[in-house]
Amino acid sequence: MINEQVVRDALQSVLHPKLGKSLLDVGMIRDIIIKESAVTVTLALKSATSPLRKLFTAEIEKVVGALPEVVSVEVEVKVLSPEEYGQMFPQAPLKGIAEVNHFLAVASGKGGVGKTTIAVNIALALAGQGYAVGLLDADVYGPSIPVMLDLSHAMEQENDMILPREKYGLRIMSLGMTAGETDAFIWRGPLVSKMIRQLLDRVKWGTLDYLVIDLPPGTGDPSITIAQSLPQCSILMVTTPQEVALADVRRSISLFKKIGQKIIGLVENMSFFLCGHSSERIDIFGSGGGERLSRETNIPLLGSIPLDLLIGQGGDNGVPLLVSAPDSSTGRVFQEIARKISDQLG
Ligand SMILES: Nc1ncnc2c1ncn2[C@@H]1O[C@H](COP(=O)(O)OP(=O)(O)OP(=O)(O)O)[C@@H](O)[C@H]1O
Ligand SMILES: [Mg+2]
């Protein structure tokens, strides 16, 4: 007669190759359901595309299928949330960020919508409110913070920790500071993950109220690594008013939600053009997209940033708007967004 215990005994021989323990002992076997001679086993994995899925499934089918009376074996996969995964496989705490209070990652569904511009200026606005702020460039594929802040490549170390660079009152770290700006970063998943964890672990961020993180577009490996390493991280979503950007941002919002990330707000960038001397607003890319998205997703729209020539100039000459013109009308929009963020996070 098959029963759960018989199946459990058989599953003891299915080992996790890296941990050398059985999947049962690690907690990766969840439910075992037996209906007459059909057995369904639920296997918990970090992701549905885990490279170990095939191996584990084949092993489970083999050992359970070999039991007398078992006619069919089905393996169902349950994807673990970052919290569940973290509890099952506690990782050594990341030293560099031990004293960081809040994490704020700036994300978008699409490239070129102004994430880096917003990360830099929001970091500066938070610093302007008196907070201790760090800025991490997690865009490992195309780090642009060194250019936007005109930082050279020199890096200093103290014992085994890398010191962040200080500029405009921010503590800053970017992989672009470790390599030539023109180097192409073509890294595969596991290496990207390792690199980002190093930027959290080996950089001496010190005591910070906020660490602002500039993410590459979409929900690729860097975003997933941040989600897994910092489950408490808040996401600020950047979009432009066009429908295409909105479709991308919708997809990105649902993916971030799926991996358990909290999205604290939307920022609409390049919303309108403030025409020179008159105060007329010109909605170049259509209007109301950010508001519509906010109503639809229930995520607050924290602000709309106009197309402003000063932003583009600042991006090119290494002096961001919040340094060159903090009290300009666009500068005040950034300050208002930063205030809403600090009101929410404390
Ligand atoms: N509101 C704005 N007004 C004028 N120029 C802007 C504005 N926002 C961003 N830009 C300019 O647009 C360009 C792209 O911005 P940015 O690099 O911040 O985008 P991104 O989303 O970080 O891009 P990527 O996906 O490549 O990382 C930059 O040259 C920047 O100066
Ligand atoms: Mg960028």
Side-chain angles (χ1 to χ4, degrees):
M1 178 62 190
I2 52 170
N3 59 36
E4 188 172 328
Q5 195 51 50
V6 174
V7 176
R8 281 185 170 275
D9 291 345
L11 284 172
Q12 278 297 352
S13 66
V14 183
L15 302 183
H16 192 294
K18 282 194 203 138
L19 305 173
K21 285 192 199 165
S22 91
L23 296 189
L24 264 175
D25 293 341
V26 180
M28 291 175 72
I29 302 286
R30 293 295 165 100
D31 298 328
I32 297 172
I33 296 167
I34 302 165
K35 278 204 186 118
E36 295 173 10
S37 24
V39 180
T40 306
V41 176
T42 307
L43 170 67
L45 290 173
K46 184 175 171 182
S47 84
T49 53
S50 162
L52 293 169
R53 178 176 182 161
K54 241 181 162 166
L55 173 80
F56 291 157
T57 303
E59 280 286 298
I60 293 168
E61 284 173 353
K62 192 173 103 193
V63 300
V64 180
L67 291 170
E69 294 179 53
V70 172
V71 173
S72 73
V73 185
E74 199 173 326
V75 178
E76 281 182 1
V77 167
K78 172 194 188 316
V79 176
L80 294 165
S81 70
E83 283 90 350
E84 290 174 314
Y85 184 79
Q87 277 163 10
M88 268 173 73
F89 302 103
Q91 281 172 318
L94 297 161
K95 278 200 302 291
I97 50 161
E99 291 165 34
V100 176
N101 199 2
H102 298 297
F103 299 90
L104 178 72
V106 182
S108 75
K110 208 167 94 121
V113 296
K115 288 175 296 301
T116 306
T117 304
I118 288 168
V120 164
N121 285 294
I122 293 296
L124 287 164
L126 287 166
Q129 287 180 41
Y131 293 108
V133 183
L135 179 61
L136 167 62
D137 185 354
D139 190 346
V140 292
Y141 307 110
S144 49
I145 282 183
V147 176
M148 271 200 200
L149 294 178
D150 190 22
L151 292 166
S152 66
H153 299 153
M155 273 211 310
E156 282 178 60
Q157 242 177 294
E158 189 184 279
N159 302 321
D160 63 338
M161 298 292 275
I162 301 163
L163 296 178
R165 291 288 293 280
E166 303 243 351
K167 192 157 184 182
Y168 304 130
L170 304 176
R171 280 174 230 164
I172 308 154
M173 184 65 213
S174 163
L175 275 185
M177 280 152 51
T178 65
E181 316 164 355
T182 51
D183 288 3
F185 293 91
I186 311 168
W187 286 344
R188 298 196 36 238
L191 199 53
V192 167
S193 218
K194 198 167 160 200
M195 233 40 242
I196 290 190
R197 286 185 64 83
Q198 294 244 328
L199 290 169
L200 299 169
D201 185 38
R202 299 242 359 255
V203 174
K204 195 174 174 183
W205 291 105
T207 306
L208 289 180
D209 298 304
Y210 288 93
L211 180 62
V212 178
I213 302 169
D214 181 24
L215 289 175
T219 33
D221 295 305
S223 306
I224 291 171
T225 304
I226 292 289
Q228 277 161 355
S229 310
L230 308 171
Q232 73 278 40
C233 181
S234 305
I235 307 280
L236 187 63
M237 268 289 177
V238 182
T239 183
T240 58
Q242 299 102 309
E243 267 308 314
V244 192
L246 292 176
D248 287 323
V249 84
R250 273 192 194 98
R251 195 171 321 118
S252 185
I253 287 172
S254 76
L255 279 167
F256 272 110
K257 282 187 176 161
K258 218 176 262 170
I259 58 175
Q261 293 297 91
K262 182 178 73 181
I263 303 171
I264 59 157
L266 301 170
V267 173
E268 192 182 66
N269 190 27
M270 310 191 206
S271 298
F272 54 92
F273 186 63
L274 260 189
C275 181
H277 303 293
S278 74
S279 53
E280 193 190 344
R281 279 174 62 136
I282 305 176
D283 294 322
I284 298 181
F285 300 122
S287 68
E291 271 170 30
R292 233 177 4 257
L293 187 66
S294 166
R295 274 198 304 275
E296 193 186 297
T297 55
N298 254 333
I299 301 169
L301 177 64
L302 302 184
S304 300
I305 300 162
L307 252 176
D308 187 330
L309 297 178
L310 284 176
I311 290 184
Q313 286 159 12
D316 296 337
N317 66 15
V319 186
L321 183 83
L322 263 271
V323 173
S324 62
D327 292 319
S328 59
S329 62
T330 307
R332 284 201 301 271
V333 176
F334 280 113
Q335 294 195 33
E336 187 57 33
I337 296 170
R339 203 162 305 119
K340 286 181 185 163
I341 291 169
S342 60
D343 281 351
Q344 233 186 98
L345 296 180

